[in-house]
Amino acid sequence: MSLYEIPITKLSGIGEKRAALFRKLGIETVGNMISFYPRDYECWSDVTPIADAVPGERCVVRARVATPVNQTRLPGGRLMCKLRIGDDTGFLNLVYFNNRYISSMLRFGEEYLFMGKVAYDRYGRQMVSPEHRVAADADAITPIYNLTAGLNNHIMVRAAKEALSMLPDVLRDPLPYDILNRYQLCPLSYALQNIHFPSDMQAMEKARHRLVFEELLTLNLGMRMMKSRSQEDTAIHMPTDFTPEFVERLPFTLTGAQQRAVSECVADMRDKPSPMNRLIQGDVGSGKTAVCAALCYHTVKNGFQAAFMAPTEILAQQHFENFEKMFADTGMHIELLTGSMTAAEKRHARERIESGESDIVIGTHALLSESTVFRSLGCAITDEQHRFGVAQRARLASKGDHPHVLVLSATPIPRTLGLIIYGDLDITVIDELPPGRTPIETYFIGTDKRDRALGFVKKQVDEGRQAYIVCPLVEEGEGDLELQNANDYAAELMLGVFKDYPVGILHGKMKAKEKEKVMAQFASGEIAILVSTTVVEVGVDVKNATVMMVENADRFGLSTLHQLRGRVGRGKHKSYCILVSDHKGENTEQRLTTMCRTENGFEIADMDLKMRGPGDFFGNRQHGLPQLSIADFSDTETLAQSQEAAEFLLKISPDLSDDAMRLLRAKIKQLFRTTENTMN
Ligand code: ADP
Ligand code: MG
């Protein structure tokens, strides 16, 4: 019986109540516990002399208890224990609250290891509630797990230990022997033991490398199999190219790159035995919408419906208005379907979609709901695809009988990663911006120049323009004190420099309706200055906005800054991007001056990848892949190896039906089961 079939309650000390907490962490079975890897390790051997302990930083000291434990009751009944410890270099006060056991655990004169943060108080240096262990255990490495309220690390450690002890003596390895050998990977049993309880950090690295490899390989294989599955002979053929007559109608001429994208899609829809499955990758402002509009027109003229799904209400609304203009007097009916519409509005829209009265349907996730039924969906388009999961993309396509699928992304992805992330898609790159764009002037300044920058914003607003100011946080106390938060920042501006100007606030904690209202007010010009978090990042188009000012700019990935900057420079007015940061980190200056130097999204993405690694590059996992438990793409070497290994295995057995790959097949299934509903 697989450990994935044994419920977590079989472990000692885990009853129904506790099991519910484990479930919150995604752990339902003993097998899940084994693949719930530590997020970090505590290594107690790295001891700091008391004299060198830096206030505010976590450290381990090795010291003797120099006084008996002094217990006092505080007003309100709290128990406070105080004692003093010392090593050769100095003394430290320890304070514990409500811990009755301290006096029996810490013996006067004995030596212990203590781990905690050192702080200064009136009486000198102290640690509040440090963890401790006897000095003899200095070498042990403790795994640190992600927790949820009600579960502490100790419980997790115990569960992991017991779960590991239930592994059979001979463990079948999902990685075929050839692969283990070729890439010098350690066996599975060694890896599992040492990822949880490493004998030393080198063993942990070895274990980790193997598990990362295995996960990336699984992902690679899964994505490749998905691609081959979508290549069945089921395409809807659209023989006549109707795009030229639509392109005629546009108020501008398509760029060469846009034209090429249209032609590639039209060819896919006409000639291929399997449905189109294509990604259009084009920098912000490269005009992806017009390309899609042409393809929607083409689809309808060929006798089918088209769907265009956007990640936010604001974007869907914007596309809808845009399409209404572009399709005026074509006789085609454009439908909008979003979650915030009233129940009756939605019902009517759905009736028209089902009857076939609607030709082109633009909407949000509402399109995916079961009650949305298309009469004859011929082409399913997903905008800003990184906001959706692989499964959601598939769900939109499932609304038709093998419709053509097109996804759009403004996030330039370096090729190595593109292979995995879009393993299931053909790719078209729009590498040209429409003509006549004036470059956005970008400046990188310190906070000493902030007032001048705000003065500049004021001047722009006086000239009738609008501005965005982006802060890293929503409100105070979410993180570092030095970080600007949108609420306080906006309040300060409203009372200060901009007291006679309309200032608005936009952030992710607001309700969808409120956000939409603020965005609409900004779009109409009612709000002149919008203080926001990165929620403005996605696709919003306000042509009159000419300044993008970003506070604590060092906190953002370059790709995010690039997306933010893409919010301005969309109209005929000259636009500016002001990056504010006092951060003195080694990369900050180089990264931010890169932003000043170039507007090329691919160059910026490459730089970002080099300097911060893809973990940051992807921000909040906005790539639609299944949730990985250990790999994170930052190890490009392992990534490349896993790709090579995937190709090798598929050559031996194209559908992995080979018996040696049975366990790998199961792994793939398991990994992709977690895809559904993991995205917001
Ligand atoms: P994105 O690729 O970021 O989605 P959009 O499709 O929103 O870009 O296009 C950005 C702006 O450029 C829109 O206002 C659109 O009308 C305009 N545009 C698109 N294609 C062209 C073109 N070939 N010539 C001039 N303007 C264009
Ligand atoms: Mg767009």
Side-chain angles (χ1 to χ4, degrees):
M1 183 154 139
S2 152
L3 291 184
Y4 283 97
E5 286 159 29
I6 301 180
I8 190 82
T9 45
K10 278 281 179 296
L11 299 181
S12 53
I14 302 181
E16 277 310 324
K17 248 201 187 138
R18 212 166 249 181
L21 301 176
F22 275 82
R23 211 166 297 131
K24 272 197 196 160
L25 295 171
I27 307 169
E28 307 208 10
T29 64
V30 172
N32 291 151
M33 184 65 229
I34 290 175
S35 45
F36 192 77
Y37 307 126
R39 85 175 146 72
D40 203 355
Y41 301 86
E42 240 167 41
C43 189
W44 291 64
S45 59
D46 188 14
V47 170
T48 308
I50 288 180
D52 296 347
V54 179
E57 267 175 33
R58 223 172 142 72
C59 65
V60 177
V61 301
R62 184 189 195 107
R64 274 182 205 290
V65 176
T67 63
V69 175
N70 173 355
Q71 303 201 24
T72 33
R73 281 269 165 216
L74 298 177
R78 283 215 301 168
L79 177 69
M80 181 171 73
C81 298
K82 278 189 154 184
L83 63 144
R84 214 165 150 73
I85 59 171
D87 66 8
D88 296 345
T89 68
F91 289 94
L92 203 54
N93 296 318
L94 302 189
V95 188
Y96 295 86
F97 295 100
N98 282 347
N99 189 334
R100 293 186 280 136
Y101 307 106
I102 284 304
S103 54
S104 57
M105 286 193 295
L106 296 178
R107 286 167 203 269
F108 181 55
E110 294 281 316
E111 193 175 45
Y112 298 90
L113 296 164
F114 297 91
M115 183 187 290
K117 258 191 214 171
V118 175
Y120 276 100
D121 81 341
R122 277 182 290 162
Y123 309 106
R125 299 199 297 172
Q126 68 170 22
M127 261 187 194
V128 178
S129 304
E131 292 166 59
H132 70 270
R133 55 169 62 177
V134 291
D137 286 349
D139 289 339
I141 297 170
T142 311
I144 308 292
Y145 295 93
N146 277 330
L147 301 173
T148 184
L151 284 183
N152 63 33
N153 199 52
H154 184 67
I155 297 173
M156 301 297 288
V157 168
R158 225 176 43 195
K161 230 176 226 161
E162 196 181 338
L164 284 172
S165 74
M166 292 167 73
L167 283 172
D169 292 338
V170 181
L171 202 54
R172 291 200 42 193
D173 200 316
L175 295 183
Y177 178 76
D178 274 356
I179 297 288
L180 288 178
N181 200 20
R182 192 179 175 130
Y183 298 100
Q184 304 275 308
L185 303 168
C186 67
L188 181 60
S189 51
Y190 178 95
L192 292 177
Q193 191 62 42
N194 281 283
I195 197 70
H196 288 281
F197 302 102
S199 48
D200 55 47
M201 289 317 258
Q202 234 173 340
M204 189 282 286
E205 285 301 339
K206 235 165 133 183
R208 190 183 163 75
H209 174 63
R210 184 234 136 93
L211 294 169
V212 167
F213 183 99
E214 182 182 313
E215 192 165 41
L216 290 176
L217 176 65
T218 308
L219 179 62
N220 250 301
L221 287 171
M223 295 304 282
R224 278 162 209 255
M225 304 223 353
M226 221 185 277
K227 181 167 186 163
S228 61
R229 205 172 309 140
S230 68
Q231 276 166 359
E232 296 158 31
D233 293 355
T234 47
I236 297 167
H237 290 280
M238 299 193 182
T240 318
D241 181 3
F242 287 101
T243 56
E245 63 186 59
F246 181 79
V247 170
E248 287 274 285
R249 308 169 44 88
L250 292 172
F252 44 73
T253 325
L254 291 188
T255 63
Q258 282 173 312
Q259 188 55 60
R260 191 160 31 78
V262 170
S263 307
E264 280 180 8
C265 293
V266 167
D268 279 356
M269 296 158 106
R270 181 180 51 215
D271 304 329
K272 281 188 145 186
S274 55
M276 168 167 77
N277 202 23
R278 188 170 285 279
L279 164 75
I280 295 184
Q281 213 178 68
D283 216 338
V284 267
S286 59
K288 296 184 288 296
T289 318
V291 170
C292 293
L295 294 169
C296 287
Y297 182 88
H298 176 65
T299 302
V300 176
K301 277 283 190 177
N302 273 286
F304 293 87
Q305 290 171 299
F308 192 10
M309 180 167 71
T312 64
E313 299 254 341
I314 299 168
L315 262 190
Q317 181 71 36
Q318 200 175 280
H319 282 322
F320 176 70
E321 285 162 15
N322 220 334
F323 270 56
E324 289 263 84
K325 273 186 226 140
M326 286 192 277
F327 285 81
D329 24 271
T330 54
M332 292 185 190
H333 182 90
I334 318 283
E335 194 74 57
L336 179 68
L337 180 62
T338 69
S340 69
M341 286 163 44
T342 66
E345 285 169 342
K346 275 187 270 198
R347 199 177 61 243
H348 290 134
R350 286 187 169 122
E351 280 164 10
R352 287 188 295 266
I353 296 169
E354 186 160 8
S355 73
E357 191 184 335
S358 321
D359 295 305
I360 299 172
V361 186
I362 297 176
T364 55
H365 294 77
L367 291 181
L368 301 178
S369 108
E370 225 155 87
S371 48
T372 311
V373 179
F374 285 82
R375 183 179 159 84
S376 59
L377 182 61
C379 183
I381 308 178
T382 308
D383 194 15
E384 308 289 347
Q385 76 84 30
H386 58 290
R387 289 287 171 128
F388 295 97
V390 179
Q392 287 174 319
R393 229 156 67 194
R395 184 127 43 103
L396 182 61
S398 75
K399 298 279 176 190
D401 183 14
H402 299 89
H404 296 291
V405 168
L406 186 63
V407 299
L408 311 181
S409 172
T411 315
I413 307 266
R415 222 188 71 87
T416 39
L417 293 176
L419 267 179
I420 287 205
I421 295 172
Y422 304 126
D424 61 330
L425 300 171
D426 298 312
I427 301 182
T428 296
V429 176
I430 300 189
D431 52 4
E432 185 182 352
L433 291 182
R437 298 268 159 90
T438 37
I440 300 166
E441 262 177 51
T442 304
Y443 298 95
F444 163 32
I445 62 170
T447 48
D448 53 329
K449 301 230 171 63
R450 178 187 289 140
D451 286 347
R452 267 178 62 187
L454 290 174
F456 176 75
V457 170
K458 199 170 182 172
K459 225 175 95 207
Q460 287 283 310
V461 173
D462 287 339
E463 284 172 21
R465 304 287 82 75
Q466 289 164 277
Y468 298 96
I469 304 181
V470 172
C471 301
L473 305 178
V474 178
E475 55 203 15
E476 203 188 334
E478 284 176 299
D480 282 87
L481 286 180
E482 289 143 41
L483 295 184
Q484 297 294 343
N485 71 76
N487 276 338
D488 289 355
Y489 198 96
E492 208 170 294
L493 295 183
M494 286 180 203
L495 296 172
V497 242
F498 295 126
K499 71 178 183 307
D500 301 322
Y501 295 76
V503 176
I505 305 184
L506 185 74
H507 57 73
K509 286 191 183 167
M510 288 162 54
K511 292 215 182 74
K513 274 240 164 27
E514 292 174 279
K515 273 193 273 193
E516 211 176 321
K517 187 164 157 224
V518 171
M519 214 44 235
Q521 285 173 327
F522 188 66
S524 72
E526 216 177 303
I527 289 174
I529 299 150
L530 186 62
V531 179
S532 163
T533 57
T534 49
V535 289
V536 287
E537 190 190 327
V538 175
V540 180
D541 192 25
V542 178
K543 291 193 167 52
N544 190 43
T546 55
V547 187
M548 168 59 67
M549 179 165 162
V550 184
E551 289 283 350
N552 302 103
D554 53 278
R555 284 296 169 134
F556 300 97
L558 293 191
S559 298
T560 303
L561 290 177
H562 181 62
Q563 294 288 323
L564 287 171
R565 179 167 59 185
R567 299 304 110 226
V568 297
R570 304 190 140 240
K572 52 184 185 293
H573 306 288
K574 174 144 192 60
S575 293
Y576 306 85
C577 174
I578 305 171
L579 306 172
V580 187
S581 172
D582 279 341
H583 189 257
K584 295 287 181 282
E586 53 179 310
N587 287 339
T588 302
E589 172 126 6
Q590 200 184 350
R591 291 176 49 227
L592 298 185
T593 40
T594 299
M595 290 300 298
C596 300
R597 185 171 50 78
T598 179
E599 279 189 62
N600 181 322
F602 281 90
E603 195 181 326
I604 288 170
D606 270 338
M607 181 74 154
D608 211 11
L609 189 65
K610 272 198 208 101
M611 306 196 72
R612 311 205 326 163
D616 289 322
F617 176 73
F618 283 116
N620 305 317
R621 276 189 56 237
Q622 291 175 347
H623 45 60
L625 290 177
Q627 174 120 47
L628 301 176
S629 55
I630 189 163
D632 71 358
F633 308 124
S634 59
D635 182 351
T636 42
E637 201 177 322
T638 313
L639 191 61
Q641 285 179 350
S642 70
Q643 271 158 14
E644 190 187 280
E647 272 157 35
F648 173 76
L649 291 177
L650 287 173
K651 223 173 262 159
I652 299 175
S653 175
D655 52 358
L656 300 183
S657 58
D658 200 289
D659 201 45
M661 298 178 203
R662 194 172 53 85
L663 288 174
L664 255 183
R665 270 195 328 262
K667 285 254 154 203
I668 295 170
K669 229 174 163 180
Q670 203 177 346
L671 181 66
F672 280 81
R673 197 163 40 211
T674 62
T675 321
E676 195 92 5
N677 298 328
T678 54
M679 305 296 295
N680 49 13

